[in-house]
Amino acid sequence: GGGAMLSERVMVRLLRGWTVQCGDGGGMLITAPHGIWLQRANHPVHKPEVFTSFLAISIAESQGASLCVWSNDERVKNEFRCRADTANTDPNYSPGETLGESPWFRALSRHARRFESVGGTGVVHYDIHGRRDVMTGEGADGLEWRDDGDCDIGVGALRGMKVREGDSEVAENLAGELCWRLEDVLAERGF
């Protein structure tokens, strides 16, 4: 048949208990994929980003949003072991051929299908990440820059999405609006 079969590895994970905690709120989705130690194909293990799961859960609860974070059991086990479980892979480093086995990909796909099935016209996805590193570089003007901020708000995935005509313009407009609004709010607080 043409039905998709789950790999033995995924079946074992399902039998042990789902590793991703999901909530079913509205079209808004809050995720925090790096709340635990994670394997990355051909890269060093990714260390946990402290408090990202807590922030995602708190934001989702306060906004009545959908949620996708590693389960409490997985977070406790991971904190105790202080190393990555071989089955827990970074969703950002999942090879294309194994995406269907990723609990993250499956949860995000399920959310989009569920929302569309009730007549939703769009999904807002907030992906919470930690940040400890200082970023440096050189701008297009040749000047060096340094950013030791505590927070990034990224729209890179939106900018890369070209599902429908006009997606790029929507992403650029959103990035500009976010920048303008945040500068306005934060300027009053001395940032």
Side-chain angles (χ1 to χ4, degrees):
M5 296 296 293
L6 296 176
S7 72
E8 182 178 339
R9 181 175 149 222
V10 171
M11 291 302 292
V12 169
R13 298 287 293 175
L14 289 173
L15 291 172
R16 283 197 287 167
W18 198 246
T19 57
V20 177
Q21 170 184 331
C22 295
D24 291 326
M28 183 187 302
L29 175 65
I30 313 291
T31 61
H34 295 141
I36 64 173
W37 293 82
L38 295 167
Q39 298 287 341
R40 285 183 161 178
N42 303 316
H43 287 83
V45 168
H46 188 287
K47 295 178 182 176
E49 295 175 355
V50 182
F51 298 118
T52 56
S53 295
F54 168 79
L55 287 170
I57 293 166
S58 298
I59 293 167
E61 286 176 355
S62 74
Q63 298 302 308
S66 295
L67 170 70
C68 188
V69 296
W70 292 99
S71 70
N72 188 58
D73 288 346
E74 201 66 28
R75 292 190 307 267
V76 168
K77 177 182 80 171
N78 205 265
E79 189 172 320
F80 176 75
R81 294 174 69 196
C82 291
R83 63 183 169 88
D85 183 314
T86 56
N88 292 342
T89 59
D90 187 338
N92 297 339
Y93 283 76
S94 295
E97 65 272 6
T98 64
L99 267 182
E101 296 180 7
S102 164
W104 281 92
F105 178 80
R106 295 171 78 87
L108 296 178
S109 296
R110 187 173 54 250
H111 173 76
R113 283 191 310 272
R114 181 182 54 79
F115 188 67
E116 288 172 359
S117 73
V118 295
T121 57
V123 174
V124 177
H125 179 191
Y126 295 94
D127 194 28
I128 310 295
H129 288 266
R131 176 153 181 228
R132 291 187 189 164
D133 51 347
V134 173
M135 298 168 57
T136 60
E138 186 175 309
D141 55 8
L143 298 175
E144 290 189 21
W145 55 268
R146 175 185 170 95
D147 179 357
D148 48 77
D150 295 316
C151 176
D152 286 321
I153 298 179
V155 294
L158 266 177
R159 286 179 168 148
M161 192 170 92
K162 295 175 177 62
V163 175
R164 294 179 299 255
E165 188 174 327
D167 280 350
S168 295
E169 291 79 20
V170 170
E172 291 307 316
N173 290 341
L174 178 62
E177 189 73 17
L178 281 170
C179 182
W180 178 69
R181 297 285 181 176
L182 286 170
E183 284 177 350
D184 187 44
V185 170
L186 297 175
E188 296 174 7
R189 292 168 175 79
F191 289 95

mmCIF file of all heavy atoms in Angstrom, residues 81-126:
data_model
loop_
_atom_site.group_PDB
_atom_site.id
_atom_site.type_symbol
_atom_site.label_atom_id
_atom_site.label_comp_id
_atom_site.label_asym_id
_atom_site.label_seq_id
_atom_site.Cartn_x
_atom_site.Cartn_y
_atom_site.Cartn_z
ATOM 1 N N ARG A 81 20.733 13.345 33.645
ATOM 2 C CA ARG A 81 21.802 12.673 32.904
ATOM 3 C C ARG A 81 22.871 13.648 32.398
ATOM 4 O O ARG A 81 24.009 13.255 32.181
ATOM 5 C CB ARG A 81 21.226 11.916 31.716
ATOM 6 C CG ARG A 81 20.334 10.768 32.144
ATOM 7 C CD ARG A 81 19.650 10.108 30.992
ATOM 8 N NE ARG A 81 20.624 9.404 30.183
ATOM 9 C CZ ARG A 81 20.401 8.988 28.953
ATOM 10 N NH1 ARG A 81 19.241 9.189 28.396
ATOM 11 N NH2 ARG A 81 21.326 8.348 28.287
ATOM 12 N N CYS A 82 22.517 14.893 32.169
ATOM 13 C CA CYS A 82 23.438 15.929 31.650
ATOM 14 C C CYS A 82 24.109 15.509 30.335
ATOM 15 O O CYS A 82 25.286 15.789 30.105
ATOM 16 C CB CYS A 82 24.494 16.290 32.684
ATOM 17 S SG CYS A 82 23.818 17.160 34.091
ATOM 18 N N ARG A 83 23.357 14.834 29.511
ATOM 19 C CA ARG A 83 23.849 14.485 28.183
ATOM 20 C C ARG A 83 22.642 14.180 27.299
ATOM 21 O O ARG A 83 21.548 13.916 27.782
ATOM 22 C CB ARG A 83 24.807 13.314 28.215
ATOM 23 C CG ARG A 83 24.237 12.013 28.705
ATOM 24 C CD ARG A 83 25.314 10.915 28.758
ATOM 25 N NE ARG A 83 24.849 9.754 29.449
ATOM 26 C CZ ARG A 83 24.193 8.750 28.884
ATOM 27 N NH1 ARG A 83 23.937 8.774 27.600
ATOM 28 N NH2 ARG A 83 23.808 7.714 29.595
ATOM 29 N N ALA A 84 22.873 14.207 25.999
ATOM 30 C CA ALA A 84 21.787 14.000 25.052
ATOM 31 C C ALA A 84 21.420 12.527 24.923
ATOM 32 O O ALA A 84 22.292 11.671 24.832
ATOM 33 C CB ALA A 84 22.175 14.549 23.686
ATOM 34 N N ASP A 85 20.143 12.250 24.928
ATOM 35 C CA ASP A 85 19.627 10.925 24.598
ATOM 36 C C ASP A 85 19.850 10.747 23.096
ATOM 37 O O ASP A 85 19.616 11.675 22.317
ATOM 38 C CB ASP A 85 18.129 10.907 24.928
ATOM 39 C CG ASP A 85 17.472 9.571 24.704
ATOM 40 O OD1 ASP A 85 17.724 8.961 23.642
ATOM 41 O OD2 ASP A 85 16.683 9.154 25.558
ATOM 42 N N THR A 86 20.298 9.589 22.687
ATOM 43 C CA THR A 86 20.608 9.379 21.268
ATOM 44 C C THR A 86 19.394 9.580 20.365
ATOM 45 O O THR A 86 19.544 9.894 19.189
ATOM 46 C CB THR A 86 21.193 7.975 21.023
ATOM 47 O OG1 THR A 86 20.273 7.002 21.512
ATOM 48 C CG2 THR A 86 22.534 7.810 21.715
ATOM 49 N N ALA A 87 18.192 9.421 20.895
ATOM 50 C CA ALA A 87 16.988 9.577 20.083
ATOM 51 C C ALA A 87 16.490 11.019 20.027
ATOM 52 O O ALA A 87 15.619 11.337 19.228
ATOM 53 C CB ALA A 87 15.884 8.674 20.606
ATOM 54 N N ASN A 88 17.017 11.889 20.876
ATOM 55 C CA ASN A 88 16.567 13.284 20.900
ATOM 56 C C ASN A 88 17.452 14.128 19.994
ATOM 57 O O ASN A 88 18.569 14.482 20.357
ATOM 58 C CB ASN A 88 16.584 13.836 22.331
ATOM 59 C CG ASN A 88 15.549 13.179 23.201
ATOM 60 O OD1 ASN A 88 14.608 12.573 22.704
ATOM 61 N ND2 ASN A 88 15.725 13.268 24.499
ATOM 62 N N THR A 89 16.933 14.437 18.836
ATOM 63 C CA THR A 89 17.709 15.203 17.868
ATOM 64 C C THR A 89 17.164 16.616 17.743
ATOM 65 O O THR A 89 15.971 16.858 17.915
ATOM 66 C CB THR A 89 17.692 14.523 16.484
ATOM 67 O OG1 THR A 89 16.342 14.414 16.039
ATOM 68 C CG2 THR A 89 18.328 13.145 16.550
ATOM 69 N N ASP A 90 18.055 17.529 17.449
ATOM 70 C CA ASP A 90 17.712 18.932 17.260
ATOM 71 C C ASP A 90 16.832 19.056 16.015
ATOM 72 O O ASP A 90 17.241 18.668 14.929
ATOM 73 C CB ASP A 90 18.997 19.746 17.084
ATOM 74 C CG ASP A 90 18.752 21.238 17.039
ATOM 75 O OD1 ASP A 90 17.622 21.661 16.737
ATOM 76 O OD2 ASP A 90 19.715 21.985 17.300
ATOM 77 N N PRO A 91 15.615 19.578 16.167
ATOM 78 C CA PRO A 91 14.728 19.702 15.006
ATOM 79 C C PRO A 91 15.330 20.561 13.885
ATOM 80 O O PRO A 91 15.000 20.370 12.724
ATOM 81 C CB PRO A 91 13.474 20.355 15.564
ATOM 82 C CG PRO A 91 13.588 20.345 17.029
ATOM 83 C CD PRO A 91 15.000 20.064 17.400
ATOM 84 N N ASN A 92 16.217 21.479 14.250
ATOM 85 C CA ASN A 92 16.827 22.341 13.233
ATOM 86 C C ASN A 92 17.895 21.612 12.423
ATOM 87 O O ASN A 92 18.375 22.136 11.434
ATOM 88 C CB ASN A 92 17.458 23.573 13.886
ATOM 89 C CG ASN A 92 16.430 24.437 14.570
ATOM 90 O OD1 ASN A 92 15.254 24.382 14.268
ATOM 91 N ND2 ASN A 92 16.883 25.232 15.525
ATOM 92 N N TYR A 93 18.288 20.425 12.871
ATOM 93 C CA TYR A 93 19.336 19.668 12.191
ATOM 94 C C TYR A 93 18.828 18.307 11.722
ATOM 95 O O TYR A 93 19.603 17.394 11.523
ATOM 96 C CB TYR A 93 20.550 19.484 13.111
ATOM 97 C CG TYR A 93 21.384 20.726 13.225
ATOM 98 C CD1 TYR A 93 20.980 21.797 14.004
ATOM 99 C CD2 TYR A 93 22.580 20.839 12.528
ATOM 100 C CE1 TYR A 93 21.739 22.943 14.098
ATOM 101 C CE2 TYR A 93 23.349 21.981 12.623
ATOM 102 C CZ TYR A 93 22.920 23.033 13.404
ATOM 103 O OH TYR A 93 23.677 24.170 13.487
ATOM 104 N N SER A 94 17.529 18.160 11.580
ATOM 105 C CA SER A 94 16.969 16.885 11.131
ATOM 106 C C SER A 94 17.155 16.750 9.627
ATOM 107 O O SER A 94 16.715 17.613 8.877
ATOM 108 C CB SER A 94 15.475 16.815 11.462
ATOM 109 O OG SER A 94 15.273 16.821 12.845
ATOM 110 N N PRO A 95 17.794 15.668 9.195
ATOM 111 C CA PRO A 95 17.930 15.452 7.749
ATOM 112 C C PRO A 95 16.554 15.313 7.106
ATOM 113 O O PRO A 95 15.627 14.765 7.701
ATOM 114 C CB PRO A 95 18.705 14.136 7.650
ATOM 115 C CG PRO A 95 19.301 13.911 8.998
ATOM 116 C CD PRO A 95 18.423 14.625 9.978
ATOM 117 N N GLY A 96 16.413 15.839 5.907
ATOM 118 C CA GLY A 96 15.131 15.834 5.205
ATOM 119 C C GLY A 96 14.472 14.479 5.121
ATOM 120 O O GLY A 96 13.260 14.351 5.289
ATOM 121 N N GLU A 97 15.270 13.432 4.915
ATOM 122 C CA GLU A 97 14.691 12.090 4.754
ATOM 123 C C GLU A 97 14.131 11.529 6.055
ATOM 124 O O GLU A 97 13.375 10.556 6.048
ATOM 125 C CB GLU A 97 15.703 11.117 4.131
ATOM 126 C CG GLU A 97 16.925 10.828 4.981
ATOM 127 C CD GLU A 97 18.077 11.817 4.784
ATOM 128 O OE1 GLU A 97 17.888 12.821 4.062
ATOM 129 O OE2 GLU A 97 19.151 11.601 5.354
ATOM 130 N N THR A 98 14.470 12.124 7.207
ATOM 131 C CA THR A 98 13.955 11.623 8.484
ATOM 132 C C THR A 98 12.955 12.594 9.123
ATOM 133 O O THR A 98 12.525 12.358 10.251
ATOM 134 C CB THR A 98 15.105 11.368 9.481
ATOM 135 O OG1 THR A 98 15.754 12.612 9.778
ATOM 136 C CG2 THR A 98 16.095 10.359 8.947
ATOM 137 N N LEU A 99 12.581 13.652 8.427
ATOM 138 C CA LEU A 99 11.656 14.631 9.003
ATOM 139 C C LEU A 99 10.353 13.990 9.472
ATOM 140 O O LEU A 99 9.823 14.354 10.512
ATOM 141 C CB LEU A 99 11.332 15.735 7.994
ATOM 142 C CG LEU A 99 12.202 16.969 8.051
ATOM 143 C CD1 LEU A 99 11.731 17.991 7.033
ATOM 144 C CD2 LEU A 99 12.288 17.571 9.422
ATOM 145 N N GLY A 100 9.838 13.038 8.707
ATOM 146 C CA GLY A 100 8.591 12.385 9.078
ATOM 147 C C GLY A 100 8.661 11.640 10.392
ATOM 148 O O GLY A 100 7.640 11.366 11.008
ATOM 149 N N GLU A 101 9.869 11.310 10.847
ATOM 150 C CA GLU A 101 10.046 10.616 12.119
ATOM 151 C C GLU A 101 10.266 11.576 13.278
ATOM 152 O O GLU A 101 10.250 11.167 14.433
ATOM 153 C CB GLU A 101 11.235 9.655 12.023
ATOM 154 C CG GLU A 101 11.039 8.547 11.015
ATOM 155 C CD GLU A 101 12.232 7.622 10.935
ATOM 156 O OE1 GLU A 101 13.167 7.756 11.750
ATOM 157 O OE2 GLU A 101 12.225 6.756 10.058
ATOM 158 N N SER A 102 10.479 12.842 12.983
ATOM 159 C CA SER A 102 10.742 13.831 14.020
ATOM 160 C C SER A 102 9.462 14.149 14.788
ATOM 161 O O SER A 102 8.463 14.555 14.192
ATOM 162 C CB SER A 102 11.285 15.116 13.390
ATOM 163 O OG SER A 102 11.200 16.194 14.294
ATOM 164 N N PRO A 103 9.476 13.980 16.127
ATOM 165 C CA PRO A 103 8.285 14.337 16.903
ATOM 166 C C PRO A 103 7.924 15.811 16.729
ATOM 167 O O PRO A 103 6.755 16.178 16.742
ATOM 168 C CB PRO A 103 8.652 14.023 18.345
ATOM 169 C CG PRO A 103 10.033 13.531 18.364
ATOM 170 C CD PRO A 103 10.542 13.449 16.963
ATOM 171 N N TRP A 104 8.925 16.652 16.526
ATOM 172 C CA TRP A 104 8.663 18.084 16.326
ATOM 173 C C TRP A 104 7.945 18.327 15.015
ATOM 174 O O TRP A 104 6.946 19.036 14.967
ATOM 175 C CB TRP A 104 9.976 18.868 16.366
ATOM 176 C CG TRP A 104 10.413 19.060 17.764
ATOM 177 C CD1 TRP A 104 11.248 18.250 18.478
ATOM 178 C CD2 TRP A 104 10.003 20.084 18.658
ATOM 179 N NE1 TRP A 104 11.373 18.713 19.754
ATOM 180 C CE2 TRP A 104 10.631 19.838 19.899
ATOM 181 C CE3 TRP A 104 9.170 21.182 18.526
ATOM 182 C CZ2 TRP A 104 10.433 20.663 20.990
ATOM 183 C CZ3 TRP A 104 8.988 21.994 19.626
ATOM 184 C CH2 TRP A 104 9.613 21.731 20.843
ATOM 185 N N PHE A 105 8.457 17.762 13.938
ATOM 186 C CA PHE A 105 7.838 17.947 12.635
ATOM 187 C C PHE A 105 6.401 17.443 12.652
ATOM 188 O O PHE A 105 5.490 18.102 12.159
ATOM 189 C CB PHE A 105 8.655 17.224 11.563
ATOM 190 C CG PHE A 105 8.059 17.321 10.189
ATOM 191 C CD1 PHE A 105 8.235 18.467 9.436
ATOM 192 C CD2 PHE A 105 7.333 16.266 9.667
ATOM 193 C CE1 PHE A 105 7.678 18.566 8.178
ATOM 194 C CE2 PHE A 105 6.769 16.349 8.411
ATOM 195 C CZ PHE A 105 6.946 17.509 7.653
ATOM 196 N N ARG A 106 6.198 16.282 13.257
ATOM 197 C CA ARG A 106 4.861 15.699 13.309
ATOM 198 C C ARG A 106 3.915 16.578 14.131
ATOM 199 O O ARG A 106 2.761 16.782 13.762
ATOM 200 C CB ARG A 106 4.928 14.283 13.848
ATOM 201 C CG ARG A 106 5.688 13.336 12.909
ATOM 202 C CD ARG A 106 5.947 11.984 13.557
ATOM 203 N NE ARG A 106 4.789 11.139 13.548
ATOM 204 C CZ ARG A 106 4.456 10.332 12.557
ATOM 205 N NH1 ARG A 106 5.211 10.282 11.478
ATOM 206 N NH2 ARG A 106 3.385 9.577 12.633
ATOM 207 N N ALA A 107 4.400 17.105 15.246
ATOM 208 C CA ALA A 107 3.556 17.958 16.095
ATOM 209 C C ALA A 107 3.203 19.261 15.377
ATOM 210 O O ALA A 107 2.054 19.717 15.420
ATOM 211 C CB ALA A 107 4.254 18.253 17.417
ATOM 212 N N LEU A 108 4.169 19.870 14.715
ATOM 213 C CA LEU A 108 3.906 21.122 13.994
ATOM 214 C C LEU A 108 2.948 20.887 12.830
ATOM 215 O O LEU A 108 2.040 21.685 12.589
ATOM 216 C CB LEU A 108 5.209 21.738 13.498
ATOM 217 C CG LEU A 108 6.192 22.179 14.582
ATOM 218 C CD1 LEU A 108 7.471 22.725 13.953
ATOM 219 C CD2 LEU A 108 5.576 23.188 15.515
ATOM 220 N N SER A 109 3.140 19.789 12.121
ATOM 221 C CA SER A 109 2.244 19.457 11.001
ATOM 222 C C SER A 109 0.822 19.206 11.503
ATOM 223 O O SER A 109 -0.151 19.663 10.901
ATOM 224 C CB SER A 109 2.749 18.215 10.264
ATOM 225 O OG SER A 109 3.996 18.469 9.676
ATOM 226 N N ARG A 110 0.714 18.486 12.623
ATOM 227 C CA ARG A 110 -0.601 18.199 13.204
ATOM 228 C C ARG A 110 -1.295 19.500 13.609
ATOM 229 O O ARG A 110 -2.492 19.675 13.373
ATOM 230 C CB ARG A 110 -0.444 17.261 14.406
ATOM 231 C CG ARG A 110 -1.759 16.767 14.969
ATOM 232 C CD ARG A 110 -1.594 15.711 16.057
ATOM 233 N NE ARG A 110 -0.732 16.131 17.140
ATOM 234 C CZ ARG A 110 0.481 15.649 17.385
ATOM 235 N NH1 ARG A 110 0.988 14.710 16.622
ATOM 236 N NH2 ARG A 110 1.196 16.085 18.397
ATOM 237 N N HIS A 111 -0.539 20.425 14.177
ATOM 238 C CA HIS A 111 -1.120 21.709 14.575
ATOM 239 C C HIS A 111 -1.661 22.462 13.356
ATOM 240 O O HIS A 111 -2.782 22.962 13.381
ATOM 241 C CB HIS A 111 -0.081 22.569 15.298
ATOM 242 C CG HIS A 111 -0.574 23.946 15.587
ATOM 243 N ND1 HIS A 111 -1.469 24.208 16.605
ATOM 244 C CD2 HIS A 111 -0.344 25.127 14.974
ATOM 245 C CE1 HIS A 111 -1.754 25.498 16.618
ATOM 246 N NE2 HIS A 111 -1.083 26.080 15.645
ATOM 247 N N ALA A 112 -0.870 22.540 12.311
ATOM 248 C CA ALA A 112 -1.296 23.261 11.100
ATOM 249 C C ALA A 112 -2.550 22.608 10.499
ATOM 250 O O ALA A 112 -3.496 23.313 10.133
ATOM 251 C CB ALA A 112 -0.161 23.295 10.081
ATOM 252 N N ARG A 113 -2.572 21.280 10.422
ATOM 253 C CA ARG A 113 -3.747 20.585 9.859
ATOM 254 C C ARG A 113 -4.981 20.811 10.731
ATOM 255 O O ARG A 113 -6.077 21.063 10.222
ATOM 256 C CB ARG A 113 -3.478 19.080 9.743
ATOM 257 C CG ARG A 113 -2.599 18.703 8.567
ATOM 258 C CD ARG A 113 -2.592 17.197 8.335
ATOM 259 N NE ARG A 113 -2.334 16.404 9.530
ATOM 260 C CZ ARG A 113 -1.123 16.064 9.966
ATOM 261 N NH1 ARG A 113 -0.042 16.456 9.312
ATOM 262 N NH2 ARG A 113 -0.984 15.326 11.046
ATOM 263 N N ARG A 114 -4.810 20.717 12.040
ATOM 264 C CA ARG A 114 -5.940 20.914 12.954
ATOM 265 C C ARG A 114 -6.507 22.319 12.816
ATOM 266 O O ARG A 114 -7.713 22.518 12.729
ATOM 267 C CB ARG A 114 -5.502 20.668 14.406
ATOM 268 C CG ARG A 114 -6.633 20.819 15.417
ATOM 269 C CD ARG A 114 -6.152 20.614 16.845
ATOM 270 N NE ARG A 114 -5.045 21.455 17.205
ATOM 271 C CZ ARG A 114 -5.153 22.743 17.553
ATOM 272 N NH1 ARG A 114 -6.328 23.326 17.571
ATOM 273 N NH2 ARG A 114 -4.099 23.439 17.890
ATOM 274 N N PHE A 115 -5.628 23.304 12.743
ATOM 275 C CA PHE A 115 -6.077 24.687 12.650
ATOM 276 C C PHE A 115 -6.781 24.941 11.314
ATOM 277 O O PHE A 115 -7.826 25.575 11.269
ATOM 278 C CB PHE A 115 -4.891 25.638 12.830
ATOM 279 C CG PHE A 115 -5.295 27.070 12.925
ATOM 280 C CD1 PHE A 115 -6.029 27.528 14.011
ATOM 281 C CD2 PHE A 115 -4.956 27.967 11.931
ATOM 282 C CE1 PHE A 115 -6.418 28.853 14.095
ATOM 283 C CE2 PHE A 115 -5.337 29.288 12.014
ATOM 284 C CZ PHE A 115 -6.061 29.732 13.100
ATOM 285 N N GLU A 116 -6.225 24.419 10.241
ATOM 286 C CA GLU A 116 -6.846 24.585 8.922
ATOM 287 C C GLU A 116 -8.189 23.884 8.849
ATOM 288 O O GLU A 116 -9.118 24.363 8.195
ATOM 289 C CB GLU A 116 -5.920 24.061 7.831
ATOM 290 C CG GLU A 116 -4.717 24.954 7.599
ATOM 291 C CD GLU A 116 -3.687 24.343 6.654
ATOM 292 O OE1 GLU A 116 -3.896 23.193 6.192
ATOM 293 O OE2 GLU A 116 -2.679 25.012 6.387
ATOM 294 N N SER A 117 -8.332 22.739 9.543
ATOM 295 C CA SER A 117 -9.580 21.970 9.474
ATOM 296 C C SER A 117 -10.756 22.702 10.117
ATOM 297 O O SER A 117 -11.901 22.397 9.817
ATOM 298 C CB SER A 117 -9.405 20.594 10.121
ATOM 299 O OG SER A 117 -9.336 20.711 11.530
ATOM 300 N N VAL A 118 -10.496 23.653 10.990
ATOM 301 C CA VAL A 118 -11.581 24.417 11.612
ATOM 302 C C VAL A 118 -11.750 25.782 10.946
ATOM 303 O O VAL A 118 -12.372 26.679 11.490
ATOM 304 C CB VAL A 118 -11.371 24.579 13.143
ATOM 305 C CG1 VAL A 118 -11.430 23.243 13.832
ATOM 306 C CG2 VAL A 118 -10.078 25.313 13.453
ATOM 307 N N GLY A 119 -11.165 25.923 9.764
ATOM 308 C CA GLY A 119 -11.354 27.150 8.999
ATOM 309 C C GLY A 119 -10.367 28.248 9.294
ATOM 310 O O GLY A 119 -10.558 29.389 8.879
ATOM 311 N N GLY A 120 -9.279 27.942 10.019
ATOM 312 C CA GLY A 120 -8.261 28.949 10.309
ATOM 313 C C GLY A 120 -7.560 29.384 9.035
ATOM 314 O O GLY A 120 -7.382 28.600 8.107
ATOM 315 N N THR A 121 -7.192 30.647 8.986
ATOM 316 C CA THR A 121 -6.549 31.158 7.771
ATOM 317 C C THR A 121 -5.065 31.418 7.961
ATOM 318 O O THR A 121 -4.384 31.791 7.021
ATOM 319 C CB THR A 121 -7.219 32.460 7.304
ATOM 320 O OG1 THR A 121 -7.160 33.414 8.375
ATOM 321 C CG2 THR A 121 -8.671 32.203 6.910
ATOM 322 N N GLY A 122 -4.557 31.253 9.146
ATOM 323 C CA GLY A 122 -3.136 31.488 9.364
ATOM 324 C C GLY A 122 -2.704 31.011 10.731
ATOM 325 O O GLY A 122 -3.516 30.861 11.632
ATOM 326 N N VAL A 123 -1.434 30.739 10.861
ATOM 327 C CA VAL A 123 -0.866 30.279 12.120
ATOM 328 C C VAL A 123 0.293 31.203 12.461
ATOM 329 O O VAL A 123 1.114 31.512 11.607
ATOM 330 C CB VAL A 123 -0.344 28.827 11.991
ATOM 331 C CG1 VAL A 123 0.372 28.398 13.259
ATOM 332 C CG2 VAL A 123 -1.489 27.876 11.675
ATOM 333 N N VAL A 124 0.314 31.681 13.692
ATOM 334 C CA VAL A 124 1.439 32.478 14.172
ATOM 335 C C VAL A 124 2.290 31.552 15.030
ATOM 336 O O VAL A 124 1.791 30.921 15.957
ATOM 337 C CB VAL A 124 0.966 33.689 14.992
ATOM 338 C CG1 VAL A 124 2.145 34.456 15.548
ATOM 339 C CG2 VAL A 124 0.091 34.592 14.144
ATOM 340 N N HIS A 125 3.574 31.454 14.715
ATOM 341 C CA HIS A 125 4.474 30.526 15.404
ATOM 342 C C HIS A 125 5.598 31.319 16.063
ATOM 343 O O HIS A 125 6.380 31.954 15.387
ATOM 344 C CB HIS A 125 5.043 29.538 14.381
ATOM 345 C CG HIS A 125 6.007 28.559 14.974
ATOM 346 N ND1 HIS A 125 6.780 27.744 14.195
ATOM 347 C CD2 HIS A 125 6.342 28.256 16.244
ATOM 348 C CE1 HIS A 125 7.537 26.986 14.954
ATOM 349 N NE2 HIS A 125 7.287 27.286 16.210
ATOM 350 N N TYR A 126 5.654 31.265 17.387
ATOM 351 C CA TYR A 126 6.727 31.876 18.151
ATOM 352 C C TYR A 126 7.650 30.756 18.615
ATOM 353 O O TYR A 126 7.218 29.853 19.321
ATOM 354 C CB TYR A 126 6.190 32.633 19.369
ATOM 355 C CG TYR A 126 5.330 33.807 18.997
ATOM 356 C CD1 TYR A 126 3.947 33.682 18.908
ATOM 357 C CD2 TYR A 126 5.896 35.046 18.720
ATOM 358 C CE1 TYR A 126 3.148 34.768 18.562
ATOM 359 C CE2 TYR A 126 5.110 36.128 18.371
ATOM 360 C CZ TYR A 126 3.741 35.978 18.296
ATOM 361 O OH TYR A 126 2.964 37.051 17.950
#
